[in-house]
Amino acid sequence: MTEAEFLAALRALPLHPGARGLLDDTAHLDGLILTTDTIVEGIHYLPDDPPADVAWKLVAANLSDLAAKGAVPEGVMLNYPLRAVPPAKAGVQLGDSTNDAYSSVTIAFPTGPRPSPGRETGWDEAFVSGLDIALRTFAVRLLGGDTVSLPVNAPRVIALTAIGRAARAPLRAGAREGDALYVTGTIGDAGAGLRIARGESGPADLVDRYRRPTPRLAEGKALAPSAHAMMDVSDGLLIDAARMADASGLGVTIDLAAIPLSAAYRAFAGDDRAARIAAATAGDDYELLLAAPAGIPLAARATPIGAFTAGTGLTLTDGGTPIPLPTTLGFQH
Amino acid sequence: MTEAEFLAALRALPLHPGARGLLDDTAHLDGLILTTDTIVEGIHYLPDDPPADVAWKLVAANLSDLAAKGAVPEGVMLNYPLRAVPPAKAGVQLGDSTNDAYSSVTIAFPTGPRPSPGRETGWDEAFVSGLDIALRTFAVRLLGGDTVSLPVNAPRVIALTAIGRAARAPLRAGAREGDALYVTGTIGDAGAGLRIARGESGPADLVDRYRRPTPRLAEGKALAPSAHAMMDVSDGLLIDAARMADASGLGVTIDLAAIPLSAAYRAFAGDDRAARIAAATAGDDYELLLAAPAGIPLAARATPIGAFTAGTGLTLTDGGTPIPLPTTLGFQH
């Protein structure tokens, strides 16, 4: 099934009211906000990425969803696979570590190239160290989790569930006609960081924006009371703004010239239309996107970059002049 | 790392008080009980197992942990991987479906034998159908989740987090000297079912006990007010009882002759000492094990099978006569 088909099938299951129709990034229960994200080796991170960065990003991506609801993180639960190291006798798997008698079953898996010893040895230790740093940095604590065995060579699949508290959580679908669209921080730094991580020359602090994003927890908490709608920017500013407008039954106009770029980004990629489109369609920013009345004072810094309008779809302007949409608005699932 | 090493490393992280030192199967927050379990293809289930049974068991295993805390299930969150089907061009992966720009990276994975079309086609659909049945059967609703792409041939890793409510949740570590040890239902049926599923001849209802275990939600809620300690029996009666005693700083004596066996089990495996030891060391029962004062009336049916004593360790008797412990007490992680 495709993701869209799978989600449609899930929506036909008995849904909790706190699931909000599976239309938001979080679930709501008793004043608690719950969100979960999974990362897969080779899909969301590369086998050679530093494990501590993988842990950081897993925590940050989850906390970013809490930030977008104005929530204060309370705790996280971790689902972690311990991968079997290549055994002397191929095909023998390590035992199980959840509650299941299937665990004693021995199954041979396709064996491809062996993981290099440098990747396997110490990966778990380094991941836990990175988790420790991330938890301490964001003042969040471990609530529980589950550890399972993974066959040799299987890509790691690591899940984290984050739980926070929020008095009032703005949804993705809440923008009103005439609201301004605001974004926190600067856009495009992580996308530039990915390009630098892949070999282009550029400053290391952009790579840090990519590898160690900062969830905007303080900003989210401060902005939530004023926000009619809020979500994090993870797949690209344009696509995420279009999703907020769509969920709210509105159209949205964004002015490319208003999108905040960092000095480091401008030094790396320039400041022309192409550079601005690249920034607005790259992912992994983990900034917050919100709909709020135009002109009201906000309790945290955010840049107005557009407006919600009657109608549907995304309209792009550059200094007020309408321009064609790029072929890709961001990452599409 | 081994699971023990990994857990030790996790215990050095900032722990939430509700994590209870990571010594229980559940976390506790604001009267909510949280638990999470992961299943891995080839470790916890076989590639040829019916997907609907895999979904059922994932739900049942999680709800069983809630049952052991006397909790009423409120909702579940699902982390589900959509596996790429073998593409025409090997090494090209499907896109991502969480919030991560890494998703556009294309990586070649070791390609072993192709999954048979019969296994891949319709697996997701059948899993969701099984999930639907399990949720409706246990009156629990979907709260949220996450869907990711998985490379071709990678074993599926599926996680579920279950959330319930409990006024008072008995811990694993709470048995008192002189308490009786009780168990609900009958023991060994699932283990016999696994043998039958693997080819021995025997009744299909034992296979059902293995493939579609029933979490003892009503029993757990009824027994919790009387229980000094409670946990579910998932790795084997003897090993789980030994863990409860160890967590409580006590020893425990179990009388093999008192262990409740079903008529179907006795017809399949007999009723001699070997059959009783097989039942008491097989896993996947998902019955409840509890410590409560001897002789008090219990609000749900449970069989007294032993007693907690000062000291440490497990002592086994058969009709009151001490007998040697079997070499394996159950599934050891």
Side-chain angles (χ1 to χ4, degrees):
Chain A
M1 292 173 98
T2 64
E3 190 195 19
E5 290 166 350
F6 191 77
L7 272 172
L10 290 185
R11 288 200 178 100
L13 298 180
L15 293 189
H16 194 284
R20 311 289 171 118
L22 302 179
L23 294 168
D24 219 282
D25 294 320
T26 57
H28 302 215
L29 184 65
D30 293 2
L32 296 177
I33 310 291
L34 299 101
T35 186
T36 189
D37 272 312
T38 311
I39 50 174
V40 179
E41 181 181 349
I43 302 280
H44 307 95
Y45 70 93
L46 298 171
D48 292 332
D49 279 348
D53 288 347
V54 175
W56 176 286
K57 202 155 180 176
L58 179 62
V59 173
N62 273 280
L63 296 187
S64 181
D65 284 328
L66 293 186
K69 303 298 118 176
V72 177
E74 179 73 29
V76 297
M77 300 182 75
L78 174 71
N79 298 79
Y80 190 83
L82 293 166
R83 182 157 58 195
V85 290
K89 197 175 82 177
V92 176
Q93 303 302 324
L94 285 184
D96 156 61
S97 53
T98 49
N99 305 330
D100 199 318
Y102 258 136
S103 47
S104 52
V105 180
T106 296
I107 301 167
F109 265 91
T111 50
R114 297 301 191 196
S116 67
R119 174 154 70 88
E120 203 65 32
T121 304
W123 209 96
D124 300 322
E125 289 82 348
F127 180 91
V128 174
S129 295
L131 184 61
D132 190 34
I133 292 167
L135 294 180
R136 290 178 196 280
T137 302
F138 304 125
V140 58
R141 293 175 291 181
L142 185 67
L143 256 170
D146 183 43
T147 305
V148 289
S149 294
L150 201 65
V152 175
N153 289 330
R156 287 188 173 91
V157 177
I158 315 175
L160 196 83
T161 300
I163 302 157
R165 293 180 197 281
R168 180 193 164 278
L171 300 179
R172 177 184 293 197
R176 301 178 197 171
E177 190 182 336
D179 275 352
L181 175 70
Y182 296 87
V183 69
T184 61
T186 57
I187 290 297
D189 295 327
L194 174 58
R195 287 165 54 188
I196 296 165
R198 285 184 183 167
E200 294 187 46
S201 65
D205 55 341
L206 289 178
V207 180
D208 278 354
R209 283 291 308 267
Y210 173 65
R211 290 203 197 278
R212 300 224 168 190
T214 302
R216 301 304 182 191
L217 290 161
E219 292 85 345
K221 192 178 173 209
L223 293 168
S226 308
H228 291 156
M230 191 151 62
M231 64 187 291
D232 69 339
V233 183
S234 51
D235 289 340
L237 176 65
L238 297 190
I239 198 163
D240 286 328
R243 286 171 180 156
M244 181 182 279
D246 187 53
S248 304
L250 294 171
V252 66
T253 299
I254 294 179
D255 192 60
L256 209 55
I259 293 173
L261 302 179
S262 69
Y265 182 84
R266 281 183 270 116
F268 171 73
D271 196 4
D272 60 6
R273 188 179 291 179
R276 288 184 164 269
I277 285 177
T281 56
D284 270 345
D285 288 313
Y286 297 107
E287 295 293 347
L288 300 178
L289 198 59
L290 62 147
I296 65 161
L298 293 174
R301 195 161 172 176
T303 306
I305 58 170
F308 289 91
T309 58
T312 59
L314 170 69
T315 303
L316 203 58
T317 62
D318 189 359
T321 307
I323 60 170
L325 291 181
T327 50
T328 304
L329 299 183
F331 179 73
Q332 305 233 31
H333 297 166
Chain B
M1 291 173 98
T2 64
E3 190 195 17
E5 290 165 350
F6 190 78
L7 272 172
L10 289 185
R11 289 199 177 100
L13 298 180
L15 292 189
H16 194 284
R20 310 292 169 115
L22 303 179
L23 295 168
D24 219 283
D25 294 320
T26 57
H28 301 216
L29 183 67
D30 294 3
L32 295 177
I33 310 291
L34 299 101
T35 187
T36 188
D37 272 312
T38 312
I39 51 173
V40 179
E41 180 182 350
I43 302 280
H44 307 95
Y45 70 92
L46 296 171
D48 292 332
D49 279 348
D53 288 347
V54 174
W56 176 285
K57 203 156 179 176
L58 179 62
V59 173
N62 272 281
L63 297 186
S64 181
D65 284 327
L66 293 186
K69 304 297 118 173
V72 177
E74 179 73 28
V76 297
M77 300 182 74
L78 174 70
N79 300 81
Y80 190 84
L82 292 167
R83 181 157 59 196
V85 290
K89 197 176 83 179
V92 176
Q93 303 304 322
L94 283 186
D96 155 62
S97 53
T98 51
N99 305 330
D100 199 317
Y102 258 134
S103 47
S104 52
V105 180
T106 295
I107 301 167
F109 265 90
T111 49
R114 298 300 191 198
S116 67
R119 175 154 70 87
E120 203 65 34
T121 305
W123 209 96
D124 300 321
E125 289 83 348
F127 180 91
V128 174
S129 295
L131 184 61
D132 190 34
I133 292 167
L135 294 180
R136 291 177 195 279
T137 302
F138 305 125
V140 58
R141 293 174 290 180
L142 186 66
L143 255 170
D146 183 44
T147 305
V148 289
S149 293
L150 200 67
V152 175
N153 289 330
R156 287 189 173 91
V157 177
I158 315 173
L160 195 85
T161 300
I163 302 158
R165 295 180 194 280
R168 179 192 165 277
L171 301 179
R172 178 184 293 196
R176 302 178 195 171
E177 190 182 335
D179 274 352
L181 175 71
Y182 296 86
V183 69
T184 61
T186 57
I187 291 296
D189 295 326
L194 174 59
R195 286 165 55 188
I196 296 164
R198 286 184 184 166
E200 292 187 48
S201 64
D205 54 341
L206 290 178
V207 180
D208 279 353
R209 283 292 308 265
Y210 173 65
R211 291 203 196 275
R212 301 224 166 188
T214 302
R216 300 305 183 191
L217 289 160
E219 294 84 346
K221 192 177 174 211
L223 293 167
S226 308
H228 291 155
M230 191 149 63
M231 64 187 290
D232 70 337
V233 183
S234 52
D235 288 340
L237 176 66
L238 296 190
I239 198 164
D240 286 328
R243 286 171 180 157
M244 181 182 279
D246 186 53
S248 304
L250 296 171
V252 66
T253 299
I254 293 178
D255 194 60
L256 209 55
I259 293 173
L261 302 180
S262 68
Y265 182 84
R266 280 183 270 115
F268 171 73
D271 196 4
D272 60 5
R273 186 179 291 179
R276 290 185 162 268
I277 285 177
T281 57
D284 271 343
D285 288 312
Y286 297 108
E287 296 293 346
L288 300 178
L289 199 59
L290 63 148
I296 66 161
L298 294 174
R301 195 163 172 176
T303 306
I305 58 169
F308 289 91
T309 58
T312 59
L314 170 68
T315 303
L316 203 57
T317 62
D318 190 358
T321 308
I323 60 169
L325 291 181
T327 49
T328 304
L329 298 183
F331 179 73
Q332 305 233 26
H333 299 166

